[in-house]
Amino acid sequence: MTLPPTVSGAKPLVGHAVEFLRNPDRLIRRGFEEHGTMFSVRLPGGPGVVLLGPERGRFMFGEADSRLSIKDAYPFLKHMFTKVYWLEERKEYLRQREILVPQFTGKHIAGQLDLMDRKATEFIDALPAEGEFDLVEAFGPLLMDIAAASFLGVDVATRIDGFFDVFRRFSGGVDPVTPGWVPLPHIVRSHRARDVLRRKCTELIEDRKLNPPAESDFLQTLATAVYADTKEPVPDDVLVSLLLILLWVGHDTTIAHLSWAMIDLLRHPLELKKVMAEVEHTTAVDVKTMRRLVHLDNALHETERLHPSTNGVVRRATEPIDYDGYHFPKGTMVMLHQGVSHRLPEVFPEPDEFIPDRFSDEPKKKQALYGFGGGFHRCLGENFVYLELKVIITRLLQRLDLELIDSDPQPMTGQQTRWPQSPCRVRYVKR
Ligand code: HEM
């Protein structure tokens, strides 16, 4: 048995590396058109296999970590975070996961809703009576502020002004092809930003150990965490990396989802009207009320389908794997690409159209979405994100009349989170 067929366009020596770095979506769409839902790409680190669609997704996320591993799947995380969480051996990863999981229970997330509401309200209060803003430029600091207040505490969040810009430089280090030691400008910038962030997070943890607040919060729980099995304190460098991961994933990908959700709604007045009717009289922002916002929920899933925030979910084969008539040698990089998977016409008819009601007609279709990954590593923050988006959008639509200035923003290309490219401005008038 052999690898799946290879997509066209491989160059001598570098294979598909350059196109994969610069325009992975185009490469993968071409692969789909040439070979269907499974094909190979040639990358410097060895063969890569791209999988598309729910059936292949079930295979990928159903495989054990011991065969399709997350540990070596994202090499850039090594230089961005050093050795932590996904990069650890399975036993250590599970010990760290045990610390995180309790922070994402329904009860904990429900406790964050008032904070999200307060921050969204402050954001709107601070706007002049009318004007315009760029969605990414405006939502970036707002979402960073919510992530910082949720994971560092409200008092600390006020002391870390400017974190969003530092994180922006840090995120520039996402590069699955170039080794972390190569001194290219984006990697050097990312390392400098990482050092600033690590220093700051170390100070915060040390400070919390010395001065615990009267009421415990997430940062306090983390600063005093012990491993469940040995009862030994978790070392500071691990705590700092966990904090950095949460702050990073806690705002970066959400910027894309929130910005695209607003763009999708503003470009579809009939859908906007349905959502407006639903949120118009919403005063309390408790979990039950947010769950009743069915149109908004469907619209957010439709945005997740059309504009997934990440570039793909990746695993590395730790042993040779035979699948559907093909052979993946040990070391193969296996990637599920959400962008193309979410637009397969046989799964989602009229794939390029924004049709939130498709999820009312067939709620199970949500299971074919991979915006938040799948299986054991499925995003721990998914419920947090959906509630956060609902709270913010409810308040925005209640208090602002909005109109898109740039009517057709395009997604970022390359390896960056799929934010809409600026300018993506809205004009608003306060009601
Ligand atoms: C729109 C926003 C978000 C998107 C699109 C997103 C997407 C993802 C994806 C695709 C994965 C799976 C990675 C893989 O399997 O290789 C993941 C994992 C994860 N996400 Fe998110 N995420 C978002 C927001 C958040 C937030 C707000 C948090 C928490 C603050 C969070 C915490 C995590 C954690 C801890 C994992 C790792 C789970 C594990 O492997 O144990 N995410 N996310």
Side-chain angles (χ1 to χ4, degrees), residues 338-357:
Q338 299 111 324
V340 178
S341 292
H342 289 179
R343 293 189 189 219
L344 296 180
E346 63 274 26
V347 185
F348 295 106
E350 297 183 73
D352 299 328
E353 300 302 319
F354 182 72
I355 311 176
D357 279 347

Side-chain angles (χ1 to χ4, degrees), residues 359-400:
F359 295 113
S360 295
D361 302 341
E362 285 183 273
K364 282 198 169 159
K365 278 282 156 85
K366 288 181 183 164
Q367 291 167 12
L369 296 179
Y370 293 109
F372 291 83
F376 189 74
H377 292 289
R378 192 177 178 96
C379 179
L380 291 181
E382 184 173 358
N383 290 333
F384 178 97
V385 170
Y386 263 82
L387 285 169
E388 183 180 24
L389 296 176
K390 285 180 185 172
V391 171
I392 296 174
I393 293 175
T394 296
R395 293 308 186 218
L396 287 172
L397 295 184
Q398 282 176 340
R399 294 192 48 200
L400 305 178

Side-chain angles (χ1 to χ4, degrees), residues 237-258:
D237 63 334
V238 173
L239 296 177
V240 167
S241 294
L242 286 177
L243 206 50
L244 269 189
I245 285 178
L246 289 182
L247 287 171
W248 185 48
V249 298
H251 81 288
D252 187 82
T253 36
T254 317
I255 295 171
H257 205 150
L258 177 58

Side-chain angles (χ1 to χ4, degrees), residues 74 85-86 93 97 151 249-250 253 313 315 371-373 377 379 385:
Y74 302 104
Y85 203 53
W86 296 290
Y93 157 76
R97 195 172 194 272
F151 303 121
V249 298
T253 36
V313 181
R315 299 289 182 265
F372 291 83
H377 292 289
C379 179
V385 170

Side-chain angles (χ1 to χ4, degrees), residues 15-70:
H16 296 102
V18 176
E19 190 175 1
F20 185 73
L21 264 185
R22 294 203 179 135
N23 200 340
D25 299 345
R26 186 184 65 190
L27 172 70
I28 287 162
R29 174 140 296 276
R30 191 169 72 248
F32 169 63
E33 281 158 10
E34 289 172 359
H35 303 295
T37 56
M38 176 162 53
F39 54 90
S40 300
V41 291
R42 278 186 41 216
L43 297 173
V49 170
V50 177
L51 303 178
L52 302 169
E55 195 188 320
R56 308 228 179 272
R58 277 192 291 279
F59 155 73
M60 175 154 158
F61 293 120
E63 276 292 332
D65 242 5
S66 54
R67 272 161 56 88
L68 276 185
S69 158
I70 199 169

Side-chain angles (χ1 to χ4, degrees), residues 143-421:
L143 294 167
M144 178 81 251
D145 195 23
I146 295 178
S150 302
F151 303 121
L152 299 175
V154 180
D155 57 325
V156 176
T158 56
R159 305 201 318 252
I160 54 159
D161 209 19
F163 248 36
F164 176 60
D165 289 328
V166 188
F167 264 107
R168 219 171 188 178
R169 295 198 289 282
F170 177 69
S171 303
V174 173
D175 177 338
V177 174
T178 316
W181 51 264
V182 179
L184 290 178
H186 66 291
I187 293 185
V188 174
R189 267 197 305 276
S190 174
H191 287 183
R192 287 201 187 121
R194 173 200 63 195
D195 295 343
V196 171
L197 293 168
R198 289 197 79 88
R199 247 192 333 270
K200 193 73 201 164
C201 289
T202 307
E203 277 167 33
L204 293 174
I205 285 174
E206 283 171 355
D207 182 48
R208 273 308 182 84
K209 284 187 175 170
L210 292 173
N211 306 301
E215 227 176 286
S216 186
D217 58 9
F218 180 83
L219 182 60
Q220 196 57 23
T221 310
L222 203 67
T224 53
V226 293
Y227 286 120
D229 51 355
T230 60
K231 309 292 177 224
E232 282 169 13
V234 181
D236 278 4
D237 63 334
V238 173
L239 296 177
V240 167
S241 294
L242 286 177
L243 206 50
L244 269 189
I245 285 178
L246 289 182
L247 287 171
W248 185 48
V249 298
H251 81 288
D252 187 82
T253 36
T254 317
I255 295 171
H257 205 150
L258 177 58
S259 304
W260 283 114
M262 292 308 295
I263 293 168
D264 284 338
L265 282 174
L266 294 174
R267 279 168 44 168
H268 297 88
L270 288 178
E271 299 303 333
L272 178 64
K273 214 165 148 192
K274 286 187 209 165
V275 172
M276 289 286 287
E278 205 176 47
V279 302
E280 214 167 26
H281 303 295
T282 301
T283 43
V285 291
D286 51 89
V287 175
K288 224 161 136 195
T289 310
M290 291 297 110
R291 291 234 166 94
R292 277 202 294 260
L293 302 177
V294 180
H295 287 303
L296 180 53
D297 190 75
N298 287 339
L300 287 171
H301 279 92
E302 188 65 342
T303 293
E304 177 187 337
R305 184 182 75 78
L306 285 171
H307 307 287
S309 308
T310 62
N311 288 317
V313 181
V314 184
R315 299 289 182 265
R316 185 80 65 176
T318 57
E319 55 184 79
I321 292 179
D322 293 333
Y323 169 61
D324 202 11
Y326 291 106
H327 178 76
F328 308 167
K330 181 179 170 180
T332 301
M333 186 195 88
V334 181
M335 174 189 200
L336 185 117
H337 186 269
Q338 299 111 324
V340 178
S341 292
H342 289 179
R343 293 189 189 219
L344 296 180
E346 63 274 26
V347 185
F348 295 106
E350 297 183 73
D352 299 328
E353 300 302 319
F354 182 72
I355 311 176
D357 279 347
R358 65 172 88 237
F359 295 113
S360 295
D361 302 341
E362 285 183 273
K364 282 198 169 159
K365 278 282 156 85
K366 288 181 183 164
Q367 291 167 12
L369 296 179
Y370 293 109
F372 291 83
F376 189 74
H377 292 289
R378 192 177 178 96
C379 179
L380 291 181
E382 184 173 358
N383 290 333
F384 178 97
V385 170
Y386 263 82
L387 285 169
E388 183 180 24
L389 296 176
K390 285 180 185 172
V391 171
I392 296 174
I393 293 175
T394 296
R395 293 308 186 218
L396 287 172
L397 295 184
Q398 282 176 340
R399 294 192 48 200
L400 305 178
D401 285 325
L402 290 150
E403 178 193 358
L404 272 181
I405 297 175
D406 305 293
S407 58
D408 192 19
Q410 294 301 306
M412 299 280 227
T413 52
Q415 296 302 319
Q416 307 184 53
T417 306
R418 290 285 177 266
W419 298 351
Q421 290 181 40

